[in-house]
Amino acid sequence: MTANAKVAFQNEPRTSINLFGRFDDLGHHGLPARLGIMGGTFDPIHIGHLACAEQAREAFNLDAVIFIPTNIPVFKQDRKVTSAADRLEMCKLAVESNPAFDVSALEIERGGETYAVDTLRELRAFYPENVELFFITGADAVAHITRWKESSEVAHLAQFIAVTRPGFSLTAEKKEEIEQGGLFKVHYLEATSLAISSSDLRERVSKSKSIRYLTMQRVRDYILTKGLYQEGVE
Ligand code: ATP
Ligand code: MG
């Protein structure tokens, strides 16, 4: 996309948040709705992400969960991230069997460094007020939300669902620090945890080890067909 085309694109009113349009109607008929947002680099997406989103959906009666892969993750600039197109495609392949899940290219289309506050603002402007936004994170990611850009605006735009993740415990003091005296509304979910990470999948592929059952079969096929992650972990 040229610089001019990008400016034109950003100035156009957005008519659809979702590539498939599956959940664009949420709340538009006056019915209250609860929308989960699962942000991440998804390099690659794995069953830890999927189980985390599904259990959050179930526990908090979410009508839908949209997975939004980051464009340039601000906290991961120390390593080479797989192309946005590949990460987006893997997310689509991973969620297609769940009618309550979808993927949005919102952050990728916006371009540049990704900040949750921009995404939440776009979602808030697009959906009517009767749609509540719930940002789903693992216990490791929620620990950083107070350091996100415009964190008090983030706290105002969405509630958080923090899902347990093996290796990352949240002490009472840490929770207090995250919530910042009630500024952030965080719901904690004790989920059936999976000690799986994208880093581990990348490393396994680079060592020619199996990733079968650690991600959806179609994602595994995509990784192997495209030869992703073969050059080793940086
Ligand atoms: P990496 O190892 O590259 O950091 P990751 O597995 O942590 O990858 P991310 O894309 O960084 O995946 O994470 C996206 C979101 O999913 C974060 O909120 C993270 O906490 C959450 N998450 C990832 N894996 C799990 C898991 N196994 N259980 C619970 N939450 C998870
Ligand atoms: Mg991570």
Side-chain angles (χ1 to χ4, degrees):
M1 205 187 286
T2 65
N4 278 348
K6 200 162 168 181
V7 170
F9 171 81
Q10 282 174 344
N11 290 340
E12 272 168 30
R14 189 178 285 280
T15 49
S16 167
I17 287 281
N18 220 306
L19 288 185
F20 307 149
R22 236 197 245 175
F23 305 126
D24 282 2
D25 272 358
L26 220 56
H28 280 282
H29 307 296
L31 290 173
R34 293 157 74 86
L35 177 63
I37 301 145
M38 183 82 196
T41 314
F42 304 123
D43 191 14
I45 190 163
H46 53 71
I47 59 166
H49 298 126
L50 296 162
C52 168
E54 175 67 359
Q55 291 180 42
R57 182 197 63 73
E58 183 177 51
F60 293 92
N61 283 316
L62 305 179
D63 295 280
V65 178
I66 303 184
F67 287 67
I68 310 186
T70 54
N71 188 50
I72 301 173
V74 181
F75 294 117
K76 289 190 179 162
Q77 298 197 355
D78 49 340
R79 71 165 184 89
K80 196 170 148 274
V81 172
T82 306
S83 81
D86 281 333
R87 290 182 292 109
L88 179 70
E89 189 55 31
M90 289 189 281
C91 286
K92 287 187 191 172
L93 292 171
V95 308
E96 68 185 359
S97 60
N98 189 332
F101 285 0
D102 207 346
V103 180
S104 168
L106 194 67
E107 295 187 344
I108 291 168
E109 285 179 7
R110 191 192 309 129
E113 289 185 341
T114 300
Y115 297 102
V117 68
D118 301 325
T119 305
L120 290 172
R121 276 203 183 105
E122 269 201 74
L123 291 168
R124 194 62 284 165
F126 180 77
Y127 285 106
E129 265 177 36
N130 49 333
V131 176
E132 270 183 283
L133 303 180
F134 293 85
F135 202 108
I136 305 165
T137 72
D140 58 319
V142 79
H144 301 139
I145 58 176
T146 56
R147 289 194 271 134
W148 286 4
K149 187 182 150 198
E150 294 182 58
S151 64
S152 51
E153 183 65 8
V154 169
H156 171 72
L157 289 164
Q159 299 175 51
F160 278 80
I161 298 172
V163 182
T164 44
R165 183 172 188 183
F168 303 94
S169 68
L170 294 170
T171 60
E173 293 79 49
K174 188 72 204 167
K175 286 182 182 172
E176 232 172 78
E177 195 187 309
I178 294 167
E179 288 158 30
Q180 303 214 318
L183 176 68
F184 279 93
K185 191 155 186 212
V186 186
H187 309 274
Y188 298 94
L189 176 63
E190 197 71 42
T192 298
S193 301
L194 294 164
I196 295 177
S197 68
S198 301
S199 314
D200 179 48
L201 265 75
R202 293 193 299 273
E203 193 179 335
R204 294 187 71 85
V205 176
S206 76
K207 292 181 175 164
S208 304
K209 286 183 168 176
S210 172
I211 54 164
R212 200 187 283 270
Y213 311 124
L214 298 177
T215 187
M216 301 297 276
Q217 186 171 332
R218 298 194 64 184
V219 175
R220 172 180 168 265
D221 292 345
Y222 186 93
I223 291 170
L224 299 181
T225 305
K226 296 220 52 182
L228 303 181
Y229 310 119
Q230 280 177 1
E231 50 199 67
V233 185
E234 282 162 59

